[in-house]
């Protein structure tokens, strides 16, 4: 896999990024490129493009690991989520998973892809070999977060759906691939981001 990175960054500066790239956005994007090349040498560039699109969307375009709600601390994120839950703005949520458990840990979303619920932290601990149950905040470490994002999407660790089900020799299902993370939520939007990243990669 050979990516012309100079051309790639010139292209994404126009689409999907809005005209400019900060040093932090470049740094986060480079990390995902490097981790994909290391973990999936010779991998499908459409799959890489969709991974980049997912990180772009899930981090509010920052390409840096973030907490759910983009809060600066767990306590702040918990307060925001509690208010949203109380006013009915999280209709799809039955149990407030973000509230601290008996050990004082919160299983709110963290990372380049929003890892939530203790069972998912355990699953990804087993996949990447980092104990996220003992220290869930490690999902905010850039290298750890990139591993979660890439391995989770390649293996189908989040929803049971994996990238190879949507991108193979016979098809490229840019909208359907959203099921790897979150059903069909904003599937067309993510598809557009994915195609833009793919155009820049190729």
């Amino acid at each position: 896999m050979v990516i012309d990175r100079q051309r790639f960054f010139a292209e994404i500066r126009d689409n999907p990024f809005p005209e400019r790239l900060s040093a932090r956005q470049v740094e986060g994007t480079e990390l995902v490129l490097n981790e994909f090349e290391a973990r999936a040498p010779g991998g499908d560039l459409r799959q890489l493009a969709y991974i980049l699109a997912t990180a772009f969307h899930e981090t509010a375009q920052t390409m840096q690991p973030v907490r759910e709600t983009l809060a600066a601390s767990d306590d702040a994120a918990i307060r925001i989520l509690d208010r949203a839950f109380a006013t009915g703005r999280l209709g799809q949520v039955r149990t407030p998973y973000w509230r601290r458990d008996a050990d004082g840990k919160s299983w709110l979303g963290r990372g380049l892809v929003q890892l939530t619920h203790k069972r998912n932290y355990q699953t990804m601990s087993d996949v990447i070999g980092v104990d996220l149950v003992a220290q869930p905040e490690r999902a905010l470490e850039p290298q750890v977060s990139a591993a979660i994002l890439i391995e989770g999407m390649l293996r189908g660790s989040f929803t049971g759906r994996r990238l190879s089900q949507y991108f193979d020799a016979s098809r490229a299902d840019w909208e359907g691939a959203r099921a790897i993370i979150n059903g069909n939520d904003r599937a067309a939007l993510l598809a557009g981001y994915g195609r833009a990243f793919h155009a820049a990669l190729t």
Side-chain angles (χ1 to χ4, degrees), residues 44-125:
D44 189 323
L45 290 178
R46 296 168 303 173
Q47 295 183 13
L48 171 57
Y50 201 81
I51 288 171
L52 288 163
T54 297
F56 180 80
H57 178 71
E58 299 264 319
T59 67
Q61 304 181 11
T62 67
M63 301 305 285
Q64 292 291 323
V66 295
R67 284 180 185 82
E68 194 170 359
T69 76
L70 307 181
S73 69
D74 287 356
D75 286 342
I78 290 166
R79 286 194 297 272
I80 293 167
L81 290 164
D82 273 339
R83 283 197 298 271
F85 186 65
T87 56
R89 286 182 285 131
L90 299 176
Q92 75 281 14
V93 176
R94 295 182 181 179
T95 304
Y97 56 84
W98 55 84
R99 291 180 181 162
R100 294 189 184 279
D101 63 16
D103 296 321
K105 294 174 182 175
S106 170
W107 307 104
L108 54 78
R110 296 180 180 90
L112 289 167
V113 60
Q114 295 295 286
L115 188 66
T116 59
H117 296 89
K118 184 176 182 178
R119 66 180 177 275
N120 293 324
Y121 278 80
Q122 181 63 69
T123 295
M124 293 313 301
S125 294

